Amino acid sequence: MRSSKTIHVISAHAEGEVGDVIVGGVAPPPGDTVWDQRTFIAEDQTLRNFVLNEPRGGVFRHVNLLVPPKNPEADAAWIIMEPEDTPPMSGSNSMCVSTVLLDGGIIPMQEPVTHMTLEAPGGLVRVKADCKDGKAERITVQNVPSFADKLDAMIEVEGVGSLRVDTAFGGDSFVIVDAQDLGFSITPDEAGDLARMGARITDATNEQLGFNHPDGDWNHISFCQIAGPLTREGDLLTGKNVVAIKPGKLDRSPCGTGASARMAMLLAKGQMAATDRYYARSIIDSEFRCRIVEQIDLNGRPAITPEISGRGWITGIHQHMLDPSDPWPGGYRLSDTWGA
Ligand SMILES: O=C(O)[C@H]1NCC[C@@H]1O
């Protein structure tokens, strides 16, 4: 057995969404900030291709690279690699990383609660982990500033016609559409159609509305959130949603950045009070428990600090290797599974 590189990975999922964590074998990428390191990874593509592409990866896989923190407040830092993007933040991936850091013994666990500050490319996130018997049982993350952007905008989507949409940022950028407007009930048998429709709506929104983060460094819509109806019991809003991730898969978790974006949008529309809670359900019926921690001002724009909470589990340990004679060191993608 021979290998020109060996990458050590602890695999995990959070409420159904895969988030592997590279814990060794990769030197920190160049860059003065974690954002600059993210940009290197996104432009260079070598690591992304190696871990995301087949035969090691697959369209369902997200991979996180632990890096030494740049911010002195942070206990750990990481870069998120998703099928299409290398994003500022990710809810399910932050929960996978927290689970691996604690259950894997990289950061000492304090029972019953461990507090950590993690540095994502998009900023610091505060983590509270409820821990018992050596297991981080629930990960609660205070996300980066989230805000509504365009409300009740109209776009034209091929095969659909005019569609009413909202756009919002929750650590990543979303177009949010009403599932009922598209005739979806968000059930597993609709998965293929939801993924294809979501990718088309994301493309149409980028062409017709666009998105610019006020910090100037995230200038497209990444995801389409197809949002089911909400029910209210007292101060608790509950609702299903599904997020289409380009080129053509669905988030199996309720999507933490999506829940953050949806809360910012609901607050802006007066459909959620700052004191309400929101339980987001996924297409496989997993749940993130969410709330608004505070309302803030983001460069003159009303924004929120969202909190998202879910569970993560380790699924295995892998060592990815590259035999020098392997003709596909960068792997490959085919549209049978990578197409929308
Ligand atoms: O929970 C989230 O925010 C994510 N899940 C996969 C895609 C998004 O980054």
CSV table of all heavy atoms in Angstrom, one decimal, residues 17 62 82 87 89-93 172 174 223 243 245 251 253-258 288, ligand 1:
chain,number,residue,atom,x,y,z
A,17,GLU,N,-27.9,15.5,7.9
A,17,GLU,CA,-27.0,16.0,6.8
A,17,GLU,C,-25.5,15.7,7.1
A,17,GLU,O,-25.0,16.1,8.2
A,17,GLU,CB,-27.2,17.6,6.7
A,17,GLU,CG,-26.6,18.2,5.6
A,17,GLU,CD,-27.2,17.9,4.2
A,17,GLU,OE1,-28.0,17.0,4.1
A,17,GLU,OE2,-26.8,18.5,3.2
A,62,HIS,N,-20.6,17.1,2.6
A,62,HIS,CA,-19.9,18.3,2.9
A,62,HIS,C,-18.7,17.9,3.7
A,62,HIS,O,-18.7,17.0,4.5
A,62,HIS,CB,-20.8,19.2,3.7
A,62,HIS,CG,-22.1,19.5,3.2
A,62,HIS,ND1,-22.4,20.4,2.2
A,62,HIS,CD2,-23.4,19.0,3.5
A,62,HIS,CE1,-23.7,20.4,1.9
A,62,HIS,NE2,-24.3,19.6,2.7
A,82,GLU,N,-18.7,22.7,0.5
A,82,GLU,CA,-20.0,22.2,0.1
A,82,GLU,C,-19.9,21.9,-1.4
A,82,GLU,O,-19.0,22.3,-2.1
A,82,GLU,CB,-21.1,23.2,0.4
A,82,GLU,CG,-21.2,23.4,1.9
A,82,GLU,CD,-22.4,24.2,2.4
A,82,GLU,OE1,-23.0,24.9,1.6
A,82,GLU,OE2,-22.8,24.0,3.6
A,87,PRO,N,-18.7,28.2,1.8
A,87,PRO,CA,-19.5,29.3,2.2
A,87,PRO,C,-19.0,30.0,3.5
A,87,PRO,O,-18.1,29.5,4.2
A,87,PRO,CB,-20.9,28.6,2.5
A,87,PRO,CG,-20.5,27.2,2.9
A,87,PRO,CD,-19.3,26.9,2.1
A,89,MET,N,-20.7,30.3,6.3
A,89,MET,CA,-21.2,29.6,7.6
A,89,MET,C,-22.2,28.5,7.1
A,89,MET,O,-22.7,28.5,6.0
A,89,MET,CB,-21.9,30.6,8.5
A,89,MET,CG,-22.5,30.2,9.8
A,89,MET,SD,-21.6,29.0,10.8
A,89,MET,CE,-22.9,28.5,11.8
A,90,SER,N,-22.4,27.5,8.0
A,90,SER,CA,-23.3,26.4,7.7
A,90,SER,C,-23.8,25.9,9.0
A,90,SER,O,-23.0,25.6,9.9
A,90,SER,CB,-22.7,25.3,6.9
A,90,SER,OG,-23.5,24.2,7.0
A,91,GLY,N,-25.1,25.8,9.2
A,91,GLY,CA,-25.7,25.3,10.5
A,91,GLY,C,-25.4,23.9,10.7
A,91,GLY,O,-24.8,23.5,11.8
A,92,SER,N,-25.7,23.0,9.8
A,92,SER,CA,-25.5,21.5,10.0
A,92,SER,C,-24.0,21.3,10.2
A,92,SER,O,-23.6,20.4,11.0
A,92,SER,CB,-26.1,20.7,8.9
A,92,SER,OG,-25.6,21.1,7.6
A,93,ASN,N,-23.2,21.9,9.3
A,93,ASN,CA,-21.7,21.7,9.4
A,93,ASN,C,-21.2,22.2,10.8
A,93,ASN,O,-20.2,21.6,11.3
A,93,ASN,CB,-21.0,22.3,8.2
A,93,ASN,CG,-21.2,21.4,7.0
A,93,ASN,OD1,-20.7,20.3,7.0
A,93,ASN,ND2,-21.9,22.0,6.0
A,172,ASP,N,-25.6,32.1,5.0
A,172,ASP,CA,-25.5,31.9,3.5
A,172,ASP,C,-26.7,32.5,2.9
A,172,ASP,O,-27.7,32.9,3.7
A,172,ASP,CB,-25.3,30.4,3.2
A,172,ASP,CG,-24.6,30.1,1.9
A,172,ASP,OD1,-24.6,31.1,1.1
A,172,ASP,OD2,-24.0,29.0,1.7
A,174,PHE,N,-30.2,33.0,0.5
A,174,PHE,CA,-31.3,32.1,0.2
A,174,PHE,C,-32.3,32.9,-0.6
A,174,PHE,O,-32.6,34.1,-0.4
A,174,PHE,CB,-32.0,31.7,1.5
A,174,PHE,CG,-31.3,30.6,2.2
A,174,PHE,CD1,-30.3,31.0,3.1
A,174,PHE,CD2,-31.6,29.3,2.0
A,174,PHE,CE1,-29.5,30.0,3.7
A,174,PHE,CE2,-30.9,28.3,2.7
A,174,PHE,CZ,-29.9,28.6,3.6
A,223,PHE,N,-28.7,29.1,-2.2
A,223,PHE,CA,-29.7,28.0,-2.0
A,223,PHE,C,-31.1,28.5,-2.3
A,223,PHE,O,-31.5,29.7,-2.1
A,223,PHE,CB,-29.7,27.6,-0.6
A,223,PHE,CG,-28.4,27.0,-0.1
A,223,PHE,CD1,-27.8,27.5,1.1
A,223,PHE,CD2,-27.7,26.0,-0.8
A,223,PHE,CE1,-26.6,27.0,1.6
A,223,PHE,CE2,-26.5,25.5,-0.3
A,223,PHE,CZ,-25.9,26.0,0.9
A,243,VAL,N,-34.3,22.6,1.6
A,243,VAL,CA,-33.3,23.5,0.9
A,243,VAL,C,-32.7,22.7,-0.2
A,243,VAL,O,-32.1,21.6,0.0
A,243,VAL,CB,-32.3,24.1,1.9
A,243,VAL,CG1,-31.1,24.7,1.2
A,243,VAL,CG2,-33.0,25.1,2.8
A,245,ILE,N,-29.7,22.3,-2.7
A,245,ILE,CA,-28.3,22.6,-2.8
A,245,ILE,C,-27.8,22.3,-4.2
A,245,ILE,O,-27.9,21.1,-4.6
A,245,ILE,CB,-27.5,21.8,-1.7
A,245,ILE,CG1,-28.1,22.1,-0.3
A,245,ILE,CG2,-26.0,22.1,-1.8
A,245,ILE,CD1,-27.5,21.3,0.8
A,251,ASP,N,-31.0,19.3,1.3
A,251,ASP,CA,-30.5,19.2,2.6
A,251,ASP,C,-31.4,18.2,3.4
A,251,ASP,O,-32.6,18.3,3.4
A,251,ASP,CB,-30.6,20.6,3.3
A,251,ASP,CG,-29.8,20.8,4.5
A,251,ASP,OD1,-29.6,19.8,5.2
A,251,ASP,OD2,-29.3,21.9,4.8
A,253,SER,N,-31.1,17.8,6.6
A,253,SER,CA,-31.4,18.5,7.9
A,253,SER,C,-32.3,19.7,7.6
A,253,SER,O,-32.6,20.0,6.5
A,253,SER,CB,-30.1,19.1,8.5
A,253,SER,OG,-29.7,20.3,8.0
A,254,PRO,N,-32.9,20.3,8.7
A,254,PRO,CA,-33.8,21.5,8.5
A,254,PRO,C,-33.0,22.7,8.0
A,254,PRO,O,-33.6,23.8,7.8
A,254,PRO,CB,-34.4,21.7,9.8
A,254,PRO,CG,-34.1,20.4,10.6
A,254,PRO,CD,-32.8,19.9,10.1
A,255,CYS,N,-31.7,22.7,7.9
A,255,CYS,CA,-30.8,23.7,7.4
A,255,CYS,C,-30.8,24.9,8.3
A,255,CYS,O,-31.7,25.8,8.4
A,255,CYS,CB,-31.3,24.2,6.0
A,255,CYS,SG,-30.0,25.2,5.2
A,256,GLY,N,-29.7,25.0,9.0
A,256,GLY,CA,-29.5,26.1,10.1
A,256,GLY,C,-29.4,27.5,9.5
A,256,GLY,O,-30.0,28.4,10.0
A,257,THR,N,-28.6,27.6,8.4
A,257,THR,CA,-28.6,29.0,7.8
A,257,THR,C,-29.9,29.3,7.2
A,257,THR,O,-30.3,30.5,7.2
A,257,THR,CB,-27.4,29.0,6.7
A,257,THR,OG1,-27.6,27.9,5.8
A,257,THR,CG2,-26.1,29.0,7.3
A,258,GLY,N,-30.6,28.3,6.7
A,258,GLY,CA,-32.0,28.5,6.1
A,258,GLY,C,-33.0,28.9,7.2
A,258,GLY,O,-33.8,29.8,6.9
A,288,PHE,N,-34.6,21.3,13.8
A,288,PHE,CA,-33.7,22.3,14.5
A,288,PHE,C,-34.6,23.2,15.3
A,288,PHE,O,-35.7,23.7,14.8
A,288,PHE,CB,-33.0,23.2,13.4
A,288,PHE,CG,-31.8,22.5,12.8
A,288,PHE,CD1,-31.2,23.1,11.7
A,288,PHE,CD2,-31.2,21.3,13.3
A,288,PHE,CE1,-30.1,22.5,11.1
A,288,PHE,CE2,-30.1,20.7,12.7
A,288,PHE,CZ,-29.5,21.3,11.6
B,1,LIG,O1,-27.6,23.8,7.9
B,1,LIG,C1,-27.1,24.4,7.0
B,1,LIG,O2,-27.0,25.7,7.1
B,1,LIG,C2,-26.5,23.7,5.9
B,1,LIG,N1,-26.9,22.4,5.6
B,1,LIG,C3,-26.3,22.0,4.3
B,1,LIG,C4,-26.3,23.3,3.6
B,1,LIG,C5,-26.3,24.4,4.6
B,1,LIG,O3,-25.0,25.0,4.7
